[in-house]
Amino acid sequence: MGIEAREYQRTIANSALESNTLVVLPTGLGKTIVALLVAADRLAKLPDRKVVILAPTRPLVLQHAEFFESHYPDKSAKLARLTGEVPPSVRASEFDDAKLIFATPEVIRNDVSAGRYHLDKVCLAVFDEAHRCVRDYAYTDVAHAYRTQASEPLILGLTASPSAKKARIEEICEKLAIARVETRTEKDADVATYVKNVDVAWERLPLPEGYKDVAKILRTAFDLRVNKLRAMHQLPSSARISKRMLLDLGERLHNSLRRGGAGALYGAVQLQSQAMSLTHAIDLLETQGAYSAARFLSKLERARTKSARGLARDAQVMDAQKLLTSLGTPHPKELKLRELVSNDLKSNLHAKIIVFTQFRDTVETIADSLNRMDGVQAVRFVGQASRSEDDPGLSQTEQMQILEDFRDGKYNILVTTSIGEEGLHVPDVDHVIFYEAVPSEIRSIQRRGRTGRTRHGKTTVLMTEGTVDEAYYWTSRKKEEQMHRHLANVKNRGMPKARKKATLLDYVG
């Protein structure tokens, strides 16, 4: 096979051969090897069948195909790579001819729906990044079609982080018809010896006074709109108003308008929209910097909606914009990031670093700032969608080339958004830096998993004191603890064999 499977990988694979299984394994501990072991065993017993390996993006599909091509024991087994870039007629013939099929779920869903081929001869379906199998994502339709059409179906779900929510875990298990869960953490005895140390540091940075002055003006404008909504009985009179409450209010207002509401509702919609914009501006200012906040506020003047253009002409917003342009102090995160990068490169000229940020605008700002430093070759890595002429998307071919260049050392810093969280195979990353905390346990786990794969690694989370950063940090930690607790309960109690359709909800406390 060209690789030596670890004992825990063989144990998990043997378990997965018995029934539909969800494998929860930390990033870097070889989920793909488990899939390879299960596929090889399945096709050895059912040589006239096929295996389908699904992944959410084309680069990840091609990455899996490359891994199987190198390590699958039967070198005569034909592989097919089916993505949206392959014409439908070609996909149909390649599916029929291949033994191992690597595809995005949308392609399989669309082809099966169009009758180009059937899944009756597929003896194993692997769903990588299985936490996506919720709501109307294409995994859901493919799983249903596979279970309906295949004569001997077997499902293998792979993820580093399913969810902290019981309902979401249940939904994943239900849609994949999961009968058992195999979970490991870095602390499990059979895994611990393979885990490289990852030092995690949280850098709490004080917000400069000038930034606080601008935030105060924006908060005054925000409070004015919230108080008007309270007077209209659209928001509670005493509770602190969160972003979630504003989002829920927006949904309620739009539903009322669809049902024929009018009059004061339009005013409420405008106030809610402006309050959301102000919240976003404050978050950008406090967690990203003056440039990001100023850029966002300047876009309001050219926005399509009347509420956004009205906000741009608001006296307080205009005052805030003037102050922003006069701020001469860089955001503390920018300074700390440059310090961290400088220290990394001083101690190791060949260090590889990934910087994660939630905002596309910030990606460009960070990359430009870092590229002004000696020894830095930073590259922007974003999704395919183009936001504007100044913010073009990257094609999947361009994405793959950037990853290859990063692996080969042409670039030493990858600055990326959530596009870089899933499936990035960059074995030797020395330092992962979160430019801000994220409230999602799934995203936090995936980001951390980019380091400590083959050698000692570091993770640093940058947080601005007294801002949404700190709230997100605690939210993420709490959710991750909940997830591990739920999965530990499943692992300790086991899945009952008597029940045909067991779910994780039966085991989580």
Side-chain angles (χ1 to χ4, degrees):
M1 200 185 295
I3 50 170
E4 187 63 41
R6 298 165 179 172
E7 190 57 40
Y8 69 85
Q9 291 166 335
R10 292 190 183 281
T11 301
I12 292 171
N14 289 336
S15 174
L17 284 162
E18 295 180 19
S19 57
N20 294 346
T21 303
L22 178 66
V23 175
V24 182
L25 199 58
T27 300
L29 288 178
K31 291 183 288 293
T32 312
I33 294 174
V34 173
L36 183 76
L37 292 169
V38 177
D41 191 285
R42 199 78 171 139
L43 287 174
K45 289 174 180 159
L46 300 164
D48 60 333
R49 302 300 171 90
K50 303 173 184 292
V51 168
V52 171
I53 295 98
L54 299 164
T57 65
R58 179 174 173 264
L60 197 46
V61 167
L62 300 181
Q63 184 174 291
H64 287 327
E66 185 181 328
F67 181 82
F68 270 69
E69 198 164 40
S70 299
H71 301 295
Y72 191 73
D74 181 2
K75 296 304 177 186
S76 66
K78 187 172 180 185
L79 282 70
R81 300 160 175 84
L82 308 183
T83 67
E85 295 187 5
V86 181
S89 58
V90 176
R91 294 200 302 258
S93 61
E94 289 203 358
F95 184 93
D96 288 340
D97 293 343
K99 186 69 68 180
L100 295 162
I101 295 128
F102 302 84
T104 51
E106 293 84 0
V107 161
I108 298 290
R109 178 188 63 189
N110 296 344
D111 287 352
V112 169
S113 178
R116 295 187 186 104
Y117 45 77
H118 292 275
L119 304 176
D120 53 329
K121 290 194 174 178
V122 176
C123 65
L124 172 67
V126 179
F127 293 78
D128 192 24
E129 309 292 355
H131 54 271
R132 286 181 171 233
C133 194
V134 292
R135 294 188 289 277
D136 57 356
Y137 184 62
Y139 272 178
T140 301
D141 296 325
V142 175
H144 177 74
Y146 176 55
R147 288 159 53 196
T148 304
Q149 294 181 7
S151 54
E152 294 184 70
L154 183 67
I155 288 174
L156 176 63
L158 307 173
T159 182
S161 44
S163 178
K165 295 179 181 175
K166 295 179 185 179
R168 186 160 179 164
I169 293 174
E170 182 193 36
E171 186 180 359
I172 294 164
C173 288
E174 182 183 341
K175 286 180 172 169
L176 292 178
I178 295 300
R180 68 175 64 200
V181 174
E182 283 288 341
T183 176
R184 300 288 191 281
T185 71
E186 293 93 337
K187 295 176 183 175
D188 284 315
D190 56 351
V191 168
T193 55
Y194 300 101
V195 176
K196 305 299 176 187
N197 242 4
V198 177
D199 298 328
V200 182
W202 292 272
E203 294 280 357
R204 296 178 76 248
L205 306 167
L207 194 66
E209 287 304 317
Y211 283 73
K212 290 179 181 176
D213 293 340
V214 180
K216 187 176 179 181
I217 294 171
L218 293 173
R219 281 203 172 86
T220 301
F222 172 80
D223 290 341
L224 182 68
R225 284 149 182 84
V226 165
N227 288 335
K228 285 183 179 179
L229 286 166
R230 281 173 168 153
M232 298 166 76
H233 304 293
Q234 297 292 349
L235 287 172
S237 58
S238 55
R240 181 180 171 277
I241 304 304
S242 66
K243 192 179 289 187
R244 169 47 53 196
M245 291 168 75
L246 286 170
L247 286 168
D248 291 343
L249 172 61
E251 192 174 337
R252 285 201 312 274
L253 290 171
H254 285 292
N255 286 339
S256 296
L257 284 174
R258 280 194 290 271
R259 290 195 297 268
L265 282 181
Y266 288 105
V269 167
Q270 195 169 41
L271 289 167
Q272 181 271 346
S273 175
Q274 291 181 349
M276 284 297 302
S277 292
L278 288 163
T279 298
H280 186 59
I282 293 165
D283 287 351
L284 286 176
L285 172 68
E286 295 181 337
T287 70
Q288 307 299 304
Y291 175 76
S292 295
R295 187 170 175 178
F296 171 72
L297 291 174
S298 69
K299 288 178 182 177
L300 295 175
E301 297 172 30
R302 305 184 299 277
R304 292 193 303 269
T305 64
K306 186 178 175 183
S307 63
R309 293 194 302 273
L311 184 61
R313 293 189 295 270
D314 180 89
Q316 289 170 320
V317 170
M318 291 168 74
D319 286 345
Q321 283 185 282
K322 282 177 193 169
L323 262 181
L324 281 171
T325 57
S326 66
L327 279 179
T329 314
H331 194 280
K333 286 185 183 179
E334 184 182 339
L335 300 175
K336 177 54 72 171
L337 178 63
R338 290 168 69 89
E339 179 190 319
L340 292 170
V341 168
S342 178
N343 290 341
D344 285 343
L345 293 177
K346 276 178 189 170
S347 59
N348 176 12
L349 280 174
H350 304 291
K352 279 191 170 70
I353 303 164
I354 298 182
V355 181
F356 281 105
T357 178
Q358 291 198 75
F359 302 102
R360 281 261 297 243
D361 283 354
T362 308
V363 171
E364 192 77 45
T365 306
I366 291 172
D368 287 348
S369 172
L370 293 178
N371 277 327
R372 290 195 289 271
M373 297 174 62
D374 290 340
V376 170
Q377 294 294 326
V379 63
R380 168 182 173 272
F381 187 71
V382 297
Q384 295 178 66
S386 291
R387 301 285 176 84
S388 67
E389 285 184 17
D390 298 331
D391 187 10
L394 295 172
S395 70
Q396 290 188 331
T397 302
E398 289 172 318
Q399 289 173 355
M400 291 177 68
Q401 186 60 53
I402 287 171
L403 289 183
E404 192 63 39
D405 290 342
F406 184 56
R407 278 193 284 268
D408 292 345
K410 180 179 177 181
Y411 303 113
N412 54 7
I413 301 179
L414 194 74
V415 186
T416 184
T417 56
S418 58
I419 186 73
E421 289 166 4
E422 288 184 341
L424 263 185
H425 182 59
V426 187
D428 297 318
V429 173
D430 302 278
H431 197 172
V432 168
I433 301 171
F434 292 27
Y435 203 69
E436 66 281 306
V438 286
S440 162
E441 76 289 355
I442 293 174
R443 292 176 65 189
S444 180
I445 290 167
Q446 287 174 328
R447 287 183 176 191
R448 284 204 316 273
R450 302 297 119 213
T451 189
R453 287 183 164 206
T454 62
R455 64 191 189 211
H456 185 94
K458 292 186 292 184
T459 295
T460 302
V461 185
L462 304 181
M463 300 187 296
T464 317
E465 288 178 357
T467 70
V468 70
D469 274 343
E470 291 196 321
Y472 283 173
Y473 162 70
W474 290 111
T475 299
S476 175
R477 286 196 66 170
K478 182 181 176 185
K479 285 181 177 178
E480 190 173 340
E481 287 166 6
Q482 286 174 344
M483 186 193 80
H484 287 308
R485 189 167 64 249
H486 298 341
L487 291 170
N489 286 342
V490 175
K491 185 177 178 181
N492 292 337
R493 299 181 195 180
M495 301 288 280
K497 295 193 174 137
R499 274 184 71 182
K500 194 171 180 184
K501 200 175 183 182
T503 73
L504 291 188
L505 261 193
D506 299 312
Y507 306 93
V508 292

